[in-house]
Amino acid sequence: MNKDLRKAIIAGNWKMNKTRPEAKELLEAIKPLVANAQGKVEVVACVPFTNLETAVNTTAGSNIKIGAENVHFEKSGAFTGEISADMLTEIGVTYVVIGHSERRQYFGETDETVNKRTKAALAAGLIPIVCVGELLNEREAGITSEIVGKQVKLDLAGLTADEAKKTVIAYEPVWAIGTGKTATADQAEEVCAFIRATIASLYDQAVADAVTIQYGGSMNAKNCAELLAKPNVDGGLIGGASLKADDFNVIVQAAVNG
Ligand code: PGA
């Protein structure tokens, strides 16, 4: 379909894993494996704050981009424990995961704070990967579209068309994260297509066609090809499988060939 109109992005979300030596080792292993994706698929590793500088240095000159897993929305000041967008860009970080369901679930993240973080990230030149997705009881109640549509509208509120085009959306059904339960390729496609239609209604079709929409939630070496073959699934946000170089590479290669 219109997949050529947007960038395919495979991003690892390491969560709270890996010390600096371990991060270096994993990235050194991934680097040669994914070198052939250059110019075809954007490869990103989103890593803990403490690993960012090591990750940027280890991947310098390669086609791997580095992302953070969160960012604060204020520029600086009395916000103990927080990290600003400028602090990330200064290190050489290019992406940032925003509103992951674990942050929504355990750390009080709301659509309002997701929206503020997204704006701060874009203003600093970071590419936000904004996570949306329904809970199991919401899917069972048949309100997936309502929930995801509301998240997309609130999370992108106030973004210009240009900013929206630069924003990556990750559709991550919460019931599929870290559970080994993947959405079927058809379920993923249905919601990713719905997200694109929502963006078209907020902006226009050209903006919607330009936005990369990833699927995330137990994507792995076995199920990635089927998911990535869907017309509205432009990539993946990968948790568990991003911690093993070979598994992550299989997913990257599926995107390269898809
Ligand atoms: P998972 O995590 O691949 O381990 O399910 C995905 C995510 O949380 O981004």
Side-chain angles (χ1 to χ4, degrees), residues 11 13 15 97 100-102 131 172 176-181 216-220 237-242:
N13 172 18
K15 310 193 179 187
V97 178
H100 189 278
S101 66
E102 286 148 19
C131 303
E172 299 208 308
I177 294 177
T179 57
K181 264 190 179 181
S218 299
M219 192 188 269
N220 58 39
L237 184 57
I238 326 293
S242 73

